[in-house]
Amino acid sequence: MNPYQGPPPYLHNIGFSNTAPQSFGNPMPMPGFPTMGYPAPQPGYPGYPNQNFPGQNQGYPQQNSGYPQQIQGYPQQSQGYPQQSQGYPQHSQGYPAQAYPSAQGYPSAQIGYPQAGYQASSAYPTPNHQGYAHSIQSHQGHNMSSPVSKPTVVPVNPFDPREDAAVLRKAMKGFGTDEKAIIQVLTRRSNEQRLRIAFEFKTLYGKDLVSDLKSETSGKFEDLLVALMTPLPQFYAKELHDATAGIGTDEDVLIEVMCTMSNHEIHVIKQAYTAIYGTLLEDDLRGDTSGNFKRLMTSLCMGNRSEEFHVDQEKAREDARSLLQAGELRLGTDESVFNAVLCSRSFPQLAAIFQEYQYLTGHDIDDAIKAEFSGDLEKALRAIVKVVRNKPLFFAERLHKSMKGLGTNDRQLIRIMVTRCEVDLGDIAEMFQAKYAESLQSWIEGDCSGHYKKCFLGLLGLY
């Protein structure tokens, strides 16, 4: 059966809080939205001392006062959180119930909370639209064309960080390095688990794992391992900083990151950015861009897109008409209307708006954007349209672009492979095959070599 056919919707924007990249916690805890330990007081590897224990109090800061009886152990839990024991029936209460609870300190979650995300993902391939409308969809907008996303790296279970630390120590001790052992450990653990291994490594051997990896490896392979060992918010913050620092700006990086992140992800990245560089991400973006592209980046940086799942067809028609009047029906273009609609409407709503635009004009909104805009603003608006319609295809095109022609854009290749492997790299590989009639694996094998190549294949689950 073709996984891209049939009714199951594709939860493509699950991002950092429901599935893979667990290093993203909630920067500004909202009522009923448990904090997940990032950023935590420990500057090195946030939150790890607590994450070894099933009974994480950190997850529900108010527990001690609100539910005194819980301190005595688990028996009273069903009383405090009635929905949890019943397998999340109460999805309508918003997204926290869907991905977080079982991870926050109940016996199933000893390896950190990745399980919850993956259970959630696998639990949703079959239901109808109402089945998941309020749980996942309320957290982020999703397009509705394909099935649940397929990561290629999932948290290993059972997970013993000390044993992994010992394997890595042995691989780097003495003369020579056992690169195969390093690749097999690091590409088969989630980002959260890698950070716990580093924490245990320092505890056991008094050495920094990242420094050891750097001294034992070199070149692009070293860059890839360091990227794998970086907490995801910090990794994105560094990519954005490097894109704006120095002479010139790498607008492609800004577009790729800012146009694909959910609100929650943007807020966590902004917090990590300020913690590392002491400046506001918004200020740096504004200082390094200009004109309408600067306005678009500022709007996206607010992380204030609607995350409603419900599609208002009447409002979609209205927005499609206003886009038409701001673009093709007038001399010149009113960029602010495009900016307002594409930066504030939810993904499902945007999909409906694009459909209405097609009905009104007989051609695609992508063609209209190509005709009305140019330069970086055109690229960014078209990126939003692509992400709304098919996010894995957007990343498949970016991977293809990073490897085609002479030379390789290694930074882009590393960024996409490292950040998407826990979210939807399986889907990206399928879209790559569908669009280019060649496998992503064959392109990586043709474009990369040595341990660098093997590490990428490990992230694809092929080494």
Side-chain angles (χ1 to χ4, degrees):
M1 173 190 152
N2 181 346
Y4 289 90
Q5 290 171 346
Y10 172 56
L11 313 180
H12 75 289
N13 212 6
I14 289 176
F16 305 168
S17 28
N18 287 359
T19 54
Q22 264 68 18
S23 348
F24 281 73
N26 187 13
M28 296 178 289
M30 294 172 280
F33 189 129
T35 56
M36 294 180 295
Y38 182 91
Q42 288 246 352
Y45 294 97
Y48 285 107
N50 299 333
Q51 288 181 0
N52 284 327
F53 306 114
Q56 282 179 327
N57 291 334
Q58 176 183 351
Y60 296 97
Q62 69 277 52
Q63 256 171 332
N64 294 339
S65 55
Y67 301 99
Q69 69 274 39
Q70 257 181 301
I71 299 161
Q72 299 157 12
Y74 293 129
Q76 283 82 13
Q77 255 164 338
S78 54
Q79 223 175 324
Y81 297 99
Q83 315 83 310
Q84 271 168 301
S85 52
Q86 300 158 14
Y88 319 117
Q90 310 299 335
H91 280 166
S92 58
Q93 294 182 350
Y95 52 88
Q98 182 257 337
Y100 303 101
S102 77
Q104 291 288 346
Y106 305 127
S108 67
Q110 276 149 2
I111 65 160
Y113 82 101
Q115 249 72 347
Y118 292 102
Q119 287 160 4
S121 298
S122 58
Y124 287 106
T126 47
N128 60 15
H129 284 254
Q130 298 101 15
Y132 71 105
H134 301 292
S135 59
I136 302 183
Q137 209 70 36
S138 64
H139 184 61
Q140 286 135 337
H142 304 303
N143 85 6
M144 293 163 281
S145 58
S146 316
V148 175
S149 54
K150 283 190 260 183
T152 54
V153 173
V154 294
V156 70
N157 183 21
F159 170 53
D160 183 348
R162 294 204 162 190
E163 191 182 311
D164 289 342
V167 170
L168 292 173
R169 172 74 176 139
K170 186 180 172 193
M172 294 185 282
K173 199 174 174 185
F175 289 109
T177 307
D178 183 355
E179 287 89 352
K180 183 175 181 180
I182 294 173
I183 291 169
Q184 289 190 335
V185 170
L186 296 185
T187 61
R188 294 178 188 178
R189 307 288 181 270
S190 67
N191 186 260
E192 184 89 352
Q193 291 179 332
R194 289 180 212 119
L195 299 182
R196 289 183 61 188
I197 292 167
F199 187 83
E200 293 294 346
F201 192 90
K202 193 177 270 189
T203 304
L204 295 174
Y205 309 113
K207 301 182 78 173
D208 182 59
L209 176 55
V210 177
S211 303
D212 271 19
L213 288 168
K214 283 181 168 181
S215 68
E216 294 290 331
T217 58
S218 61
K220 295 176 287 191
F221 180 48
E222 176 194 330
D223 296 340
L224 177 51
L225 293 180
V226 171
L228 287 170
M229 292 305 303
T230 307
L232 278 160
Q234 293 177 22
F235 179 74
Y236 276 117
K238 185 174 188 312
E239 290 292 299
L240 289 170
H241 180 262
D242 292 353
T244 53
I247 300 169
T249 308
D250 188 343
E251 287 84 359
D252 270 4
V253 175
L254 305 185
I255 292 168
E256 183 188 304
V257 176
M258 300 305 293
C259 294
T260 59
M261 298 283 108
S262 71
N263 294 349
H264 172 65
E265 292 160 352
I266 286 170
H267 290 308
V268 182
I269 292 167
K270 279 161 64 176
Q271 193 181 32
Y273 191 95
T274 303
I276 299 168
Y277 301 108
T279 56
L280 294 175
L281 173 60
E282 183 188 329
D283 292 349
D284 286 0
L285 288 175
R286 289 175 66 85
D288 232 60
T289 53
S290 60
N292 289 303
F293 182 64
K294 173 166 94 170
R295 291 186 195 174
L296 183 77
M297 286 295 118
T298 306
S299 297
L300 292 170
C301 195
M302 299 315 294
N304 194 25
R305 182 185 293 285
S306 160
E307 297 192 329
E308 273 287 305
F309 173 65
H310 174 69
V311 172
D312 183 336
Q313 215 58 47
E314 192 46 52
K315 189 86 174 67
R317 269 192 286 279
E318 220 175 276
D319 282 340
R321 276 196 288 272
S322 59
L323 289 176
L324 184 58
Q325 284 159 3
E328 296 178 76
L329 294 186
R330 59 174 286 166
L331 195 62
T333 309
D334 184 352
E335 291 88 356
S336 62
V337 174
F338 279 83
N339 194 93
V341 171
L342 269 67
C343 291
S344 66
R345 306 292 186 262
S346 71
F347 278 30
Q349 185 69 22
L350 282 173
I353 292 167
F354 300 158
Q355 190 65 55
E356 290 294 335
Y357 194 92
Q358 175 98 31
Y359 293 151
L360 281 174
T361 62
H363 60 256
D364 195 48
I365 187 139
D366 195 49
D367 300 330
I369 291 172
K370 274 193 277 191
E372 295 290 324
F373 297 91
S374 61
D376 296 323
L377 184 60
E378 178 201 338
K379 279 193 225 168
L381 294 175
R382 291 185 65 201
I384 294 173
V385 172
K386 285 176 181 173
V387 167
V388 167
R389 289 181 167 161
N390 191 335
K391 199 173 196 176
L393 182 58
F394 171 76
F395 282 112
E397 288 174 356
R398 304 275 304 176
L399 282 173
H400 182 262
K401 187 179 173 192
S402 73
M403 292 184 280
K404 76 173 183 187
L406 284 172
T408 307
N409 183 341
D410 292 291
R411 187 136 196 188
Q412 186 169 312
L413 182 58
I414 290 172
R415 183 174 59 250
I416 296 173
M417 295 292 286
V418 167
T419 58
R420 305 311 297 181
C421 64
E422 293 178 60
V423 185
D424 56 1
L425 188 56
D427 295 312
I428 292 167
E430 285 181 15
M431 296 313 294
F432 192 98
Q433 173 83 46
K435 175 148 189 179
Y436 302 108
E438 290 182 76
S439 69
L440 178 55
Q441 178 188 356
S442 67
W443 272 66
I444 287 172
E445 286 172 341
D447 229 56
C448 311
S449 60
H451 300 298
Y452 180 55
K453 171 185 79 177
K454 289 173 186 168
C455 198
F456 278 138
L457 295 180
L459 291 176
L460 278 169
L462 300 168
Y463 179 66

